[in-house]
Amino acid sequence: TEIYTLSLRDALPISISRLNRNRDRQRIEKKMQAIGDEDRQAYVKRMGGLLTVKLTADNLSVHTLQSVDEFADEGIHMHHCVFDLGYYKRPNVMIMSARDGDGHRLATIEYNLASQNIVQCRAACNKVPERDAEIRQLITSHRADFQRLLKAA
């Protein structure tokens, strides 16, 4: 059995990172408790048929975030501001999550329904996703479907 030891210099950033993650999670959970049913219901009503969006291709799937709770979960796992900045309240915005075949998060995508364009596609910590081009292609190839669902609502 091998024993690995870390110097204080190596262990400190790891401990600080864990502490920050726990603080972020607690802050988001507190913010979630403050969100009322009105905001939750308004999101579902505004998105309507767009909540059914689920795109798949080549070990890749993209779906619309289904609830305000999913925004919080996406923000926690991807380490970005999709929940904190209230994207669920923004008109003409559809937020989607891209995942690989095993369900691992690859990116969070902001799609503007008015301009029919991807505003941003971000991996964890706001990095550019490795499969950025594939994700963008999959989404843009369904623009007409999004507009049809939007008009049906």
Side-chain angles (χ1 to χ4, degrees):
T1 303
E2 293 183 45
I3 297 177
Y4 295 96
T5 59
L6 291 175
S7 67
L8 182 57
R9 184 183 64 201
D10 293 335
L12 189 58
I14 295 169
S15 296
I16 290 172
S17 176
R18 285 182 183 153
L19 179 63
N20 287 338
R21 265 196 312 261
N22 287 336
R23 285 183 184 159
D24 285 347
R25 192 176 298 270
Q26 289 170 350
R27 179 183 46 74
I28 288 173
E29 286 172 0
K30 186 175 182 181
K31 194 171 182 179
M32 280 296 297
Q33 291 171 355
I35 294 174
D37 287 340
E38 275 183 28
D39 282 336
R40 286 179 167 85
Q41 292 168 0
Y43 173 72
V44 170
K45 182 177 180 181
R46 183 170 49 80
M47 295 308 294
L50 293 168
L51 291 175
T52 64
V53 170
K54 180 156 185 167
L55 315 173
T56 57
D58 300 327
N59 200 29
L60 175 67
S61 69
V62 176
H63 72 275
T64 306
L65 295 185
Q66 302 293 298
S67 67
V68 174
D69 292 349
E70 280 194 28
F71 277 80
D73 193 48
E74 188 82 3
I76 289 168
H77 284 89
M78 297 297 281
H79 307 284
H80 54 52
C81 64
V82 71
F83 173 72
D84 280 337
L85 294 182
Y87 279 80
Y88 56 89
K89 292 181 184 178
R90 295 183 181 190
N92 293 317
V93 170
M94 177 169 59
I95 302 295
M96 295 176 272
S97 180
R99 310 217 178 169
D100 67 17
D102 294 325
H104 298 113
R105 287 177 170 86
L106 301 174
T108 306
I109 305 97
E110 176 185 0
Y111 183 86
N112 185 296
L113 295 163
S115 67
Q116 299 182 29
N117 288 315
I118 295 172
V119 176
Q120 57 181 326
C121 179
R122 298 285 181 240
C125 303
N126 286 324
K127 294 181 181 176
V128 176
E130 288 181 21
R131 298 177 69 182
D132 186 69
E134 290 175 76
I135 294 166
R136 288 175 181 275
Q137 173 58 34
L138 180 60
I139 292 169
T140 56
S141 69
H142 287 83
R143 284 180 175 155
D145 297 329
F146 301 154
Q147 287 305 306
R148 198 168 25 260
L149 288 168
L150 191 59
K151 287 178 183 175

